[in-house]
Amino acid sequence: MQPIVEHTLYIYETILNRLPPLVPRNVKQNLEVEIDRLFRTEDITLHEVEQSMAEHGMIVWPYMQAFEEMVEHHENIMGDKFFMQKASPGLRKKYMLVRDLGGGFTHVSRGALPEHFNHAEKKELNELLVDLKHDIRRYAMQAVLTHDRKTYEEKIEYYGGLIEEINKVLTSLRDLAENQSGDHSDLALDIQSRIKGIEHSIAMLGPRIEIEEIRQMPAYYEGKREERKVRWGI
């Protein structure tokens, strides 16, 4: 198995191990079976792994997006409290200075305002932030199964609707690509590249693509095709 294929499979396995609450049991089981099959197939190609991740990513993406939104919500609410409970006295003092300057846990956790911490404090801070991220995720997991369950389910439904919309866009783009030939073959390759980019974004193999950009892609490529007809008559 090629190293890049094995590396991608480990990303796939990480997604499985980080599935959030309420993902249906059969979805988890299907994912486990698929990852096991891929690991046991020595001559598996990178393309086959990525296609599998894209297919299963479409199913679990609404749950993962909904849960990450809930984690961020609880980070904004509980991060400050958790930090003050676990930080050393020296780090708490520096953190209070950051708060006085208008900052907070979100700023610190994203690496903002580094000039307020010396080298030793930055090392301590980084270790603490790793622990706090785990604490907040555990808190969010409990919350979405209890008092925040309704909100979480509504977010899952919302992102499920976005996936349906994204799938329609992908179908439109595939149809556009298939209808290009001859002098339009470079346009077809461009469209196929965008399709792959969307799939990689959903499967967490590539950079995030915002939904508004995805929505506009079919119209953009339709416009490109019409522009060629007008300019070159092809």
Side-chain angles (χ1 to χ4, degrees):
M1 185 179 293
Q2 295 179 339
I4 184 64
V5 176
E6 188 172 20
H7 173 72
T8 306
L9 275 173
Y10 281 120
I11 295 175
Y12 205 171
E13 191 173 46
T14 300
I15 292 173
L16 170 63
N17 293 332
R18 287 173 64 87
L19 287 178
L22 302 190
V23 173
R25 182 183 297 273
N26 68 307
V27 171
K28 290 182 181 179
Q29 290 173 339
N30 290 341
L31 199 50
E32 289 170 354
V33 170
E34 176 65 0
I35 291 174
D36 181 62
R37 180 188 73 81
L38 294 173
F39 267 115
R40 288 186 290 103
T41 306
E42 279 297 321
D43 58 349
I44 196 76
T45 67
L46 180 61
H47 175 71
E48 289 174 299
V49 174
E50 289 178 343
Q51 285 299 107
S52 176
M53 289 184 71
E55 178 184 339
H56 287 89
M58 290 287 178
I59 299 171
V60 301
W61 186 81
Y63 299 90
M64 299 189 76
Q65 292 298 307
F67 183 66
E68 289 307 317
E69 201 170 305
M70 296 302 296
V71 170
E72 184 176 353
H73 168 72
H74 286 292
E75 181 179 293
N76 292 335
I77 294 175
M78 305 298 296
D80 189 80
K81 178 181 178 181
F82 282 9
F83 189 100
M84 295 300 287
Q85 287 176 345
K86 298 192 78 169
S88 66
L91 209 54
R92 281 202 299 270
K93 185 176 180 180
K94 286 292 183 73
Y95 182 70
M96 290 173 70
L97 173 62
V98 169
R99 288 198 308 190
D100 289 342
L101 294 171
F105 182 78
T106 301
H107 296 86
V108 172
S109 66
R110 284 159 176 70
L113 308 171
E115 66 275 9
H116 296 289
F117 301 92
N118 62 36
H119 178 73
E121 289 168 340
K122 287 178 183 176
K123 183 176 183 298
E124 180 187 353
L125 177 63
N126 288 337
E127 293 172 354
L128 175 62
L129 288 174
V130 170
D131 287 343
L132 291 177
K133 291 284 186 180
H134 290 153
D135 291 345
I136 292 169
R137 290 189 76 85
R138 282 194 293 268
Y139 182 89
M141 281 196 173
Q142 295 175 350
V144 300
L145 292 174
T146 52
H147 57 278
D148 280 342
R149 180 164 182 149
K150 184 175 185 295
T151 301
Y152 180 47
E153 289 176 335
E154 288 172 351
K155 291 183 183 297
I156 292 171
E157 185 176 354
Y158 168 75
Y159 283 109
L162 287 188
I163 277 292
E164 290 181 6
E165 192 174 350
I166 290 169
N167 274 319
K168 290 178 182 177
V169 169
L170 288 171
T171 298
S172 296
L173 291 175
R174 291 188 185 106
D175 290 343
L176 274 170
E178 287 174 7
N179 290 331
Q180 311 308 309
S181 61
D183 293 326
H184 292 288
S185 60
D186 60 327
L187 184 59
L189 290 174
D190 189 15
I191 296 171
Q192 289 164 358
S193 175
R194 298 301 285 171
I195 291 170
K196 185 175 181 179
I198 295 171
E199 292 176 339
H200 279 203
S201 176
I202 297 298
M204 287 165 245
L205 285 170
R208 180 188 179 99
I209 302 177
E210 297 298 332
I211 182 63
E212 198 53 46
E213 182 181 353
I214 294 173
R215 284 173 175 147
Q216 293 172 3
M217 285 182 189
Y220 170 78
Y221 283 109
E222 285 282 8
K224 293 271 283 188
R225 186 173 65 173
E226 291 304 314
E227 180 185 337
R228 286 176 174 227
K229 286 182 181 179
V230 171
R231 183 173 297 181
W232 294 301
I234 58 175

